């Protein structure tokens, strides 16, 4: 057998997004009020439990290009990172949980969506020859830490939030990887269920018929 052909069959080419450069950033908002999208108008019907956050969203800064060339190898990256904010609340009458949008209130005005936005900028490695071909994209990840949490009587939620960001410059590349075959179909998830007393009692495999007399009785 041709070992070279065998080797070729065990290698696959995959198109993936490679990180060319990255930098970190942190931002903080203290005691920012949010208006909650409650299922009903009665605030006292609900209890606030905790805040949740969506994946970071990347947008352009004031309709400007993401990248501005600095020299042959570097560029200035300007973008806006948005993080969706939600509140998990419990309905007091039945304990049902709801995940609702939390709209930031800035200077007394309620924002139209539940996204907190930050303008971010930094110098990144982005070779000019590839940048001018539109090869690079801006990408961001976020982790949010929650400080102050307070639900006011009027339904306004006040949060102090710390944001950690990782900004990345990515591009599609083709790489070769070893191929160990496709993954098998996983086993079916058979969740246990509660059986009633009669279901258990009438099942001969679970509840065998007992011995009424001693085994040595004649």
């Amino acid at each position: 057998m041709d070992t070279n052909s065998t080797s070729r069959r065990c290698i696959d080419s995959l198109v993936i997004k490679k990180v060319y450069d990255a930098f970190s950033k942190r931002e903080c908002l203290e005691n920012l009020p949010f208006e909650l999208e409650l299922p009903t108008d009665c605030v006292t019907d609900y209890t606030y439990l905790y805040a949740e956050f969506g994946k970071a969203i990347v947008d352009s800064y004031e309709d400007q290009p993401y990248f501005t060339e600095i020299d042959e190898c570097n560029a200035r990256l300007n973008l806006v990172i948005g993080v969706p904010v939600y509140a998990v609340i419990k309905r007091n009458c039945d304990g049902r949980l709801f995940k609702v949008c939390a709209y930031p209130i800035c200077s007394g005005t309620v924002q139209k969506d539940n996204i907190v936005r930050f303008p971010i900028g930094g110098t990144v490695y982005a070779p000019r020859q590839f940048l001018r071909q539109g090869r690079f994209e801006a990408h961001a990840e976020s982790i949010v830490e929650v400080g102050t949490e307070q639900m006011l009587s009027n339904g306004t939620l006040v949060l102090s939030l710390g944001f950690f960001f990782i900004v990345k410059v990515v591009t599609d590349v083709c790489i070769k990887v070893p191929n160990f075959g496709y993954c098998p179909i996983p086993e079916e998830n058979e969740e246990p269920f509660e059986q009633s007393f009669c279901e258990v009692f009438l099942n001969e495999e679970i509840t065998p018929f007992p011995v009424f007399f001693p085994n040595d009785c004649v």
Side-chain angles (χ1 to χ4, degrees):
M1 181 180 294
D2 184 358
T3 56
N4 289 332
S5 63
T6 302
S7 175
R8 285 195 297 270
R9 285 199 298 269
C10 295
I11 300 294
D12 275 346
S13 295
L14 300 181
V15 175
I16 66 168
K17 290 190 179 298
K18 170 182 167 59
V19 178
Y20 258 67
D21 198 4
F23 64 87
S24 61
K25 201 83 171 179
R26 69 174 71 195
E27 298 285 348
C28 191
L29 297 173
E30 193 166 8
N31 297 328
L32 180 65
F34 293 84
E35 181 178 281
L36 302 186
E37 190 178 45
L38 298 176
T40 60
D41 294 332
C42 188
V43 178
T44 57
D45 290 343
Y46 303 92
T47 299
Y48 167 76
L49 298 180
Y50 53 87
E52 282 192 2
F53 307 92
K55 291 184 177 180
I57 303 168
V58 171
D59 201 358
S60 61
Y61 178 72
E62 296 182 348
D63 296 325
Q64 297 297 312
Y66 286 108
F67 299 95
T68 303
E69 295 179 10
I70 296 178
D71 54 34
E72 191 69 28
C73 297
N74 301 291
R76 176 75 182 181
L77 171 58
N78 290 314
L79 72 163
V80 175
I81 301 178
V83 178
V85 182
Y86 303 91
V88 177
I89 57 176
K90 179 178 69 173
R91 189 161 60 190
N92 299 326
C93 63
D94 57 5
R96 181 180 174 184
L97 300 183
F98 296 87
K99 179 179 176 180
V100 299
C101 292
Y103 299 94
I105 303 175
C106 302
S107 301
T109 302
V110 181
Q111 194 169 283
K112 294 182 179 180
D113 58 30
N114 65 321
I115 300 174
V116 178
R117 294 176 172 85
F118 300 91
I120 303 291
T123 300
V124 294
Y125 173 71
R128 180 179 296 167
Q129 59 177 328
F130 300 123
L131 187 60
R132 292 184 178 182
Q133 304 301 320
R135 295 288 303 275
F136 293 116
E137 301 174 18
H139 181 80
E141 296 181 55
S142 65
I143 293 179
V144 186
E145 288 194 1
V146 182
T148 304
E149 298 177 273
Q150 184 181 8
M151 184 76 165
L152 304 182
S153 58
N154 63 354
T156 300
L157 176 64
V158 179
L159 298 174
S160 291
L161 304 173
F163 297 81
F164 295 100
F165 296 117
I166 296 180
V167 182
K168 301 178 180 180
V169 179
V170 300
T171 186
D172 290 335
V173 297
C174 187
I175 65 170
K176 293 191 290 186
V177 297
N179 183 345
F180 297 99
Y182 295 99
C183 297
I185 298 176
E187 295 182 1
E188 186 175 356
N189 183 11
E190 297 181 0
E191 296 184 356
F193 61 94
E194 295 184 3
Q195 292 180 306
S196 67
F197 169 77
C198 287
E199 287 178 322
V200 175
F201 179 81
L202 296 175
N203 189 322
E204 296 180 0
E205 295 182 358
I206 300 177
T207 310
F209 211 87
V211 178
F212 273 58
F213 303 100
N215 291 334
D216 58 353
C217 182
V218 296

